[in-house]
Amino acid sequence: MAGLVAARILNDTGFEVRVLEARDRLGGRIWTVTDLGRPVDLGASWIHGVRGNPLTKWCKHLGIPIQRFPRGITRFIENGKPKHLPALALSSWRGILNAAIRYMVLSRIDMPKPHISDLFQPLIGNARLPLIDRRFLAWMEALQEGINGAPADALSIGELEIPNLLSANAIPLYGYGALIQDAAKDLDVATNCEVRKINWRIGR
């Protein structure tokens, strides 16, 4: 989406633009299919944090309704019983404190930059921490993988996102594909065109 929107902005401000797409479809990680008769997002699907999010404004501009999800919903099961995240965080304070300290140490390392797995894995495997703490940290690591669409050992610690429990999340009801179509409208797009080499020079 980022590259396509960049092409859209360049095109709309007077530049001659051609989009080269290696696949036979646009969108990259965004992939909306309609095989079941309804749009289903197989890739990116959430709008994380509705308020102030440009995606929310974009959906409103296109008349695409969004389905909001309530704040504070139960997301964690402990001993067969649902537990709200605020209560879980309070009971897992030892693990959170250790993670915070470890994050401050690792985030100061420049080269090579530590990965998110370097933050969580030593704590998840630390038998001195209560089991609930380690399970909570494992959930946090998995959440980072879901948000970023990559395994924790391939994600820089700089990509760490602590979810804002007070913010509302949503999904566009017709899928992200409608936004891709809007961004690509009237653009010169070549699909099945893999870029293998770039030659460029300044001036003529």
Side-chain angles (χ1 to χ4, degrees):
M1 176 180 277
L4 198 56
V5 169
R8 169 90 272 151
I9 293 172
L10 288 170
N11 178 85
D12 292 352
T13 50
F15 288 89
E16 184 177 345
V17 177
R18 190 178 196 199
V19 178
L20 306 180
E21 170 56 56
R23 293 184 170 125
D24 60 357
R25 63 173 181 83
L26 292 174
R29 187 184 169 204
I30 296 172
W31 188 13
T32 306
V33 299
T34 56
D35 299 3
L36 300 176
R38 296 284 294 176
V40 176
D41 279 318
L42 299 183
S45 56
W46 289 87
I47 298 176
H48 292 285
V50 173
R51 180 176 297 179
N53 194 316
L55 292 172
T56 305
K57 297 178 181 179
W58 195 356
C59 287
K60 183 177 181 180
H61 174 73
L62 295 178
I64 297 174
I66 61 173
Q67 176 63 56
R68 296 172 182 253
F69 289 82
R71 300 178 178 89
I73 61 176
T74 301
R75 299 185 178 97
F76 203 91
I77 302 297
E78 173 63 16
N79 294 325
K81 296 180 180 180
K83 208 166 190 178
H84 291 279
L85 284 181
L88 179 67
L90 286 174
S91 64
S92 305
W93 66 269
R94 299 175 192 83
I96 295 174
L97 179 60
N98 276 269
I101 295 172
R102 187 170 178 79
Y103 174 80
M104 287 188 290
V105 173
L106 292 177
S107 61
R108 295 183 179 181
I109 299 176
D110 293 326
M111 297 295 292
K113 201 71 174 175
H115 295 98
I116 286 179
S117 59
D118 297 321
L119 168 62
F120 288 110
Q121 282 301 314
L123 298 175
I124 294 170
N126 185 353
R128 290 180 295 179
L129 284 175
L131 179 60
I132 183 63
D133 294 59
R134 288 183 281 147
R135 288 191 60 213
F136 180 66
L137 294 175
W139 177 82
M140 287 292 295
E141 183 183 63
L143 187 64
Q144 304 309 308
E145 294 180 325
I147 291 173
N148 291 282
D153 59 5
L155 292 169
S156 167
I157 198 171
E159 298 297 322
L160 181 69
E161 293 187 27
I162 303 301
N164 185 349
L165 302 180
L166 300 178
S167 67
N169 297 316
I171 57 172
L173 286 187
Y174 303 138
Y176 265 110
L179 302 182
I180 294 298
Q181 292 174 9
D182 183 58
K185 185 179 180 180
D186 298 327
L187 288 181
D188 180 7
V189 177
T191 55
N192 297 306
C193 187
E194 181 181 352
V195 176
R196 298 185 178 181
K197 185 178 181 181
I198 298 176
N199 292 321
W200 68 282
R201 66 175 182 265
I202 299 175
R204 296 183 178 273

